[in-house]
């Protein structure tokens, strides 16, 4: 806290070699939330990405009374939630990452209430939580907002006896679906969740919950049914690979004209992004659990519309904006999920890019040679996109506010350096 993290990248090197895709940020965070629902035993999570969001989640788990040990070298997290003691998700930790809100179902079931002093996550425009709150209310909870000592709103959810019902998401919210599934898992009776998210991480979270004893069916169909059970048991589970981390490394190969083997990457998990990257000139070759990628041809321009899975992931929108700066003609990007996810355009502009933004649409006028500059990571994927731009730029790029990047990508400088990049991480 309070330190400025910067990455310095000197561009112009092609990347070659083998890289290990990290465990998925958006899978491990709900799993930590799920592990807090087990009143006995110790949960063991393997292939845990060593990212700042996981460190914050460990701090938050401890703040509510759980014992949590992160074994960084082994990428293993052990959680004993037998003695949860506080329903308060304190602002100084919870407001630093979005996944903090995934602790709410465990608090409701284990302590009968949750006090939310803040919820963080990247600032991408509106990030509402009404689907979560409405779902909890339909299950019998009461939700009230009070103004805290510092003037900020504090949300208090009282569970009462949570009971199953018919719930829905107006749009298939990723964490909304996970929170409603977890709330339903220990509720009385049956819950139907309509318009549920289809993301692979949601399915991985269903898998761990099922192993814990939850009765969940319909994952991946948009209609999820949950039969409430009396208790959940601590289990051991391996976190799935991070498809966004994989996508960024695909683009690192593409933007430098290199060739990489991505260990643990699954082409299917990239959804429409794989097709768009192929259209741009990336060649994929899946060999078991290793995805081989290379780009030899000139990059072609692309049209991208972000959408829920299996559509083009919004978390890969910034990285492909950086890539399309080098494409041989204008690319068009329509951001449908978030209403404020184009802060990157101005930063790329400092590096010589020419991007017109109009509301949620952007036109990237390629090709433009990029040159090194001092730029700011306004959010996590803005950070990964600026690293990509730096890899292709002439001269040195300094990326400030890079804590955001560290929120979601593990060992960025080490992994890229091993592939031939000239990149260092600095903390001051
Ligand atoms: C920790 C985690 O898993 N984060 C991911 C998750 O965020 P997160 O789960 O927060 O994203 P959602 O799918 O919930 O949000 C998508 C859109 O739905 C709206 N919405 C959502 C919930 C709600 O109650 N009301 C509402 O209006 C949001 O304002 C946003 O415009 O999915 C996003 C979309 O794939 C990803 O970018 C994030 O990396
Ligand atoms: C938006 C993101 O994460 P979060 O929801 O955790 O802010 C992201 O991973 O790009």
């Amino acid at each position: 806290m309070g330190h400025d993290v910067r990455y310095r990248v000197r561009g112009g090197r092609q990347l070659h070699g083998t890289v290990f895709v990290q465990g998925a940020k958006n899978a491990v965070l709900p799993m930590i939330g799920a592990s807090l629902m087990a009143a006995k035993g110790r949960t063991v999570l393997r292939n845990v990405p060593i990212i700042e969001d996981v460190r914050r989640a460990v701090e938050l788990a401890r703040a509510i009374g759980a014992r949590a040990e992160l074994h960084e070298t082994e990428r293993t997290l052990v959680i004993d939630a037998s003695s949860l003691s506080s329903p308060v998700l304190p602002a100084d930790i919870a407001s630093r990452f979005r996944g903090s809100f995934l602790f709410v179902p465990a608090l409701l079931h284990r302590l009968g209430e949750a006090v939310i002093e803040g919820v963080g996550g990247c600032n991408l425009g509106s990030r509402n939580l009404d689907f979560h709150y409405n779902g909890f209310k339909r299950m019998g909870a009461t939700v009230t907002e009070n103004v805290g000592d510092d003037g900020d709103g504090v949300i208090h959810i009282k569970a009462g006896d949570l009971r199953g019902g018919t719930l829905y998401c107006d749009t298939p919210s990723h964490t909304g679906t996970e929170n409603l599934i977890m709330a339903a898992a220990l509720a009385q009776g049956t819950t139907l969740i309509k318009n549920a998210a289809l993301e692979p991480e949601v399915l991985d979270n269903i898998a761990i919950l099922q192993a814990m004893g939850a009765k969940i069916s319909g994952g991946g169909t948009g209609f999820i049914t949950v039969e409430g059970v009396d208790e959940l048991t601590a289990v051991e589970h391996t976190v799935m690979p991070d498809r966004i981390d994989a996508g960024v490394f695909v683009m690192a190969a593409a933007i430098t004209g290199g060739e990489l083997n991505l260990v643990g990457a699954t082409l299917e998990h990239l959804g429409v992004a794989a097709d768009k990257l192929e259209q741009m000139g990336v060649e994929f070759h899946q060999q078991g659990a290793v995805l081989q990628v290379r780009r030899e041809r000139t990059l072609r321009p692309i049209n991208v519309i972000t959408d829920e899975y299996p559509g083009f992931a919004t978390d890969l929108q910034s990285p492909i904006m950086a890539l399309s700066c080098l494409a041989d003609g204008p690319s068009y990007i329509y951001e449908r999920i978030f209403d404020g996810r184009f802060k990157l355009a101005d930063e790329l502009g400092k590096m010589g890019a020419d991007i017109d933004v109009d509301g949620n649409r952007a036109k990237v006028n390629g090709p433009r040679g990029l040159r090194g500059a001092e730029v700011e990571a306004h959010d996590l994927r803005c950070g990964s996109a600026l690293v990509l731009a730096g890899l292709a730029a002439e001269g040195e790029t300094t990326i400030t506010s890079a804590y955001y990047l560290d929120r979601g990508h593990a060992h960025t400088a080490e992994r890229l350096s091993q592939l031939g990049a000239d990149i260092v991480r600095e903390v001051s």
Side-chain angles (χ1 to χ4, degrees):
M1 195 72 174
H3 299 299
D4 186 27
V5 180
R6 281 187 308 275
Y7 282 84
R8 286 189 196 280
V9 192
R10 292 190 69 83
R13 298 185 177 199
Q14 281 188 336
L15 300 195
H16 289 277
T18 295
V19 62
F20 286 78
V21 175
Q22 70 184 39
K25 157 183 166 285
N26 291 346
V28 73
L29 296 173
M31 285 175 194
I32 296 172
S35 72
L36 300 170
M37 298 209 293
K40 283 185 276 193
R42 289 198 276 179
T43 299
V44 178
L45 297 176
R46 299 204 184 273
N47 196 31
V48 170
I50 305 305
I51 54 177
E52 291 303 321
D53 269 21
V54 166
R55 294 196 175 108
R56 296 298 85 70
V58 167
E59 289 167 11
L60 194 61
R62 289 177 182 153
I64 61 170
R67 292 177 62 180
E69 292 164 17
L70 180 58
H71 301 272
E72 297 205 354
T73 311
E74 295 79 7
R75 288 178 287 129
T76 297
L77 176 58
V78 183
I79 298 177
D80 176 347
S82 51
S83 58
L84 295 193
S85 52
S86 168
V88 180
L89 298 174
D92 59 335
I93 310 172
S95 61
R96 298 190 75 198
F97 71 116
R98 187 77 180 165
S100 59
F101 203 63
L102 294 161
F103 283 32
V104 169
L107 291 175
L108 296 182
H109 284 299
R110 300 286 311 286
L111 301 179
E113 59 178 335
V115 179
I116 300 130
E117 292 186 347
V119 181
C122 286
N123 180 1
L124 311 171
S126 345
R127 298 198 69 176
N128 301 323
L129 292 166
D130 50 317
F131 311 157
H132 307 239
Y133 290 127
N134 290 339
F136 297 148
K137 284 196 240 176
R138 278 179 165 242
M139 300 179 84
T142 54
V143 180
T144 49
E145 181 169 4
N146 303 304
V147 178
D149 296 340
D150 53 4
D152 287 338
V154 175
I155 308 281
H156 197 156
I157 311 180
K158 277 201 169 288
D161 285 326
L162 290 183
R163 52 186 185 278
T166 300
L167 315 180
Y168 61 88
C169 295
D170 293 61
T171 55
S173 160
H174 186 142
T175 51
T177 301
E178 290 162 342
N179 257 351
L180 296 182
I181 292 172
M182 289 192 282
L186 287 175
Q188 293 167 34
T190 305
T191 299
L192 172 65
I193 305 166
K194 297 182 194 173
N195 204 15
L198 310 179
E199 270 72 16
E201 297 82 7
V202 175
L203 304 191
D204 204 20
N205 197 41
I206 290 175
I208 187 175
L209 286 163
Q210 286 170 329
M212 293 171 75
K215 294 209 163 71
I216 305 166
S217 56
T221 68
F223 290 90
I224 291 178
T225 302
V226 186
E227 304 276 350
V229 296
D230 291 337
E231 62 174 14
L232 296 175
T233 315
V235 294
E236 180 169 352
H237 186 85
T238 300
V239 179
M240 65 172 283
D242 193 312
R243 65 197 160 97
I244 308 300
D245 189 60
V248 170
F249 276 97
V250 171
M251 293 194 223
I255 208 160
T256 64
E259 180 167 348
L260 296 178
N261 295 307
L262 309 185
V263 178
T266 307
L267 198 51
E268 191 187 318
H269 285 172
L270 290 176
V272 168
D275 303 280
K276 293 290 166 179
L277 287 162
E278 263 180 351
Q279 287 167 36
M280 289 187 87
V282 175
E283 294 169 47
F284 290 105
H285 187 37
Q286 183 90 50
Q287 295 174 310
V290 179
L291 182 64
Q292 214 174 50
V293 292
R294 69 172 173 192
R295 196 269 297 175
E296 287 176 341
R297 288 174 295 173
T298 307
L299 280 167
R300 288 187 290 266
I302 199 69
N303 289 350
V304 165
I305 302 175
T306 64
D307 205 352
E308 287 93 7
Y309 186 81
F312 191 101
T314 173
D315 292 350
L316 288 175
Q317 183 262 105
S318 299
I320 209 163
M321 178 180 272
L323 185 60
S324 54
C325 291
L326 302 190
D328 196 13
S331 293
Y332 297 85
I333 300 177
Y334 176 19
E335 171 56 59
R336 282 188 59 258
I337 305 296
F338 292 110
D339 57 19
R341 203 167 206 180
F342 280 151
K343 292 198 191 96
L344 171 69
D346 282 346
E347 301 307 314
L348 288 174
K350 293 175 191 167
M351 299 178 71
D354 178 9
I355 303 172
D356 303 317
V357 173
D358 179 11
N360 278 5
R361 293 174 192 269
K363 179 176 173 228
V364 184
N365 299 300
R368 288 288 185 283
L370 298 175
R371 55 178 186 274
E374 180 164 321
V375 286
E376 182 178 348
H378 293 280
D379 58 67
L380 198 174
R381 308 306 169 182
C382 180
S384 26
L386 290 171
V387 169
L388 290 174
L391 292 173
E394 199 185 315
E396 184 171 283
T397 300
T398 302
I399 302 158
T400 62
S401 301
Y403 171 84
Y404 283 113
L405 178 64
D406 293 349
R407 276 195 52 213
H409 290 286
H411 307 122
T412 302
E414 291 89 333
R415 287 191 293 162
L416 284 169
S417 299
Q418 278 169 10
L419 302 173
D422 183 349
I423 176 169
V424 289
R425 177 178 180 275
E426 294 174 350
V427 184
S428 58

